[in-house]
Amino acid sequence: MPVVKTDIEGVVQITPTRFVDSRGYFSEVFKDAWFRENVADVTFVQDNESFSVEPGTVRGLHFQLEPFAQGKLVRCIRGALFDVAVDIRHGSPTFGKWFGCELSAENGMQLWLPAGMAHGFMTIVPDTIISYKVTAPYSAEHDRGLRWNDPEIGINWPEADNHMLSDKDQKQPFLRDLPTYFHFAEQETV
């Protein structure tokens, strides 16, 4: 599985190999030992899945506080979406910077986001399903967010006729108003 580092330390793209024949394909999308050796030595405790009917559906930007801070391994299993990580680790050389890429059922790409990232996505086509592994369970008490369209961050979201967001996501704070939740610590990367 090729691993491509991004400009944000710890955030990587992974594209599992597909073995294709006339029937379709086979792919190992996750192997614990391989992931620990090549990406991050973490334990996943929960798998989540989200279905969005309309293109332009935005979910995020979300994160959780310690002790429930989550690393996420994200993939799209139906349709296509634009997936985004925003570095909110104070002291990081990329604090407030974002990385985004298209994840689709067709390209099979995955995105790993360590704890300390705000995560969100926007669907590009109808009936899109995102699936992701997390390193900590959901905790409503520790759930936080960041404004999806904060001009200070300047995420270049795909064009959409209409952006659909939850009430909660429409009211998230701007980066400048976020308390210091995470501190950057240089991590061993592979």
Side-chain angles (χ1 to χ4, degrees):
M1 281 191 257
V3 174
V4 177
K5 294 180 181 181
T6 69
D7 291 339
I8 298 176
E9 185 172 332
V11 176
V12 297
Q13 294 173 292
I14 304 162
T15 306
T17 303
R18 288 183 173 177
F19 300 94
V20 181
D21 65 20
S22 61
R23 301 167 296 169
Y25 72 83
F26 170 83
S27 183
E28 292 178 338
V29 296
F30 177 77
K31 290 172 68 172
D32 183 71
W34 180 92
F35 192 87
R36 287 176 186 274
E37 183 177 322
N38 293 282
V39 181
D41 188 11
V42 297
T43 300
F44 292 103
V45 299
Q46 182 174 313
D47 282 15
N48 298 327
E49 188 173 290
S50 172
F51 171 68
S52 299
V53 175
E54 297 294 329
T57 299
V58 177
R59 296 181 191 256
L61 303 161
H62 301 145
F63 58 94
Q64 287 191 170
L65 306 180
E66 293 291 356
F68 293 96
Q70 296 177 323
K72 295 180 181 180
L73 179 60
V74 184
R75 68 188 185 114
C76 180
I77 58 175
R78 184 163 116 188
L81 56 94
F82 185 69
D83 203 61
V84 174
V86 178
D87 190 347
I88 57 172
R89 301 169 296 182
H90 282 265
S92 168
T94 54
F95 176 80
K97 303 295 183 201
W98 65 276
F99 174 81
C101 64
E102 183 176 318
L103 304 180
S104 68
E106 186 175 317
N107 70 23
M109 189 183 305
Q110 299 178 16
L111 190 64
W112 161 249
L113 300 81
M117 300 293 139
H119 172 249
F121 65 90
M122 184 180 97
T123 57
I124 299 171
V125 299
D127 300 328
T128 292
I129 300 175
I130 183 174
S131 177
Y132 55 100
K133 297 179 165 308
V134 294
T135 59
Y138 175 74
S139 170
E141 180 183 344
H142 297 85
D143 184 39
R144 299 291 187 279
L146 179 63
R147 188 75 58 97
W148 73 283
N149 60 350
D150 185 335
E152 185 178 332
I153 299 168
I155 297 170
N156 187 19
W157 294 100
E159 293 293 322
D161 292 336
N162 186 31
H163 293 110
M164 299 175 60
L165 289 97
S166 68
D167 288 340
K168 176 180 116 176
D169 285 346
Q170 290 180 39
K171 299 172 185 171
Q172 297 287 10
F174 292 101
L175 180 64
R176 69 177 174 267
D177 300 323
L178 273 188
T180 301
Y181 291 128
F182 298 96
H183 292 280
F184 179 73
E186 290 231 22
Q187 301 164 349
E188 275 189 43
T189 56
V190 281

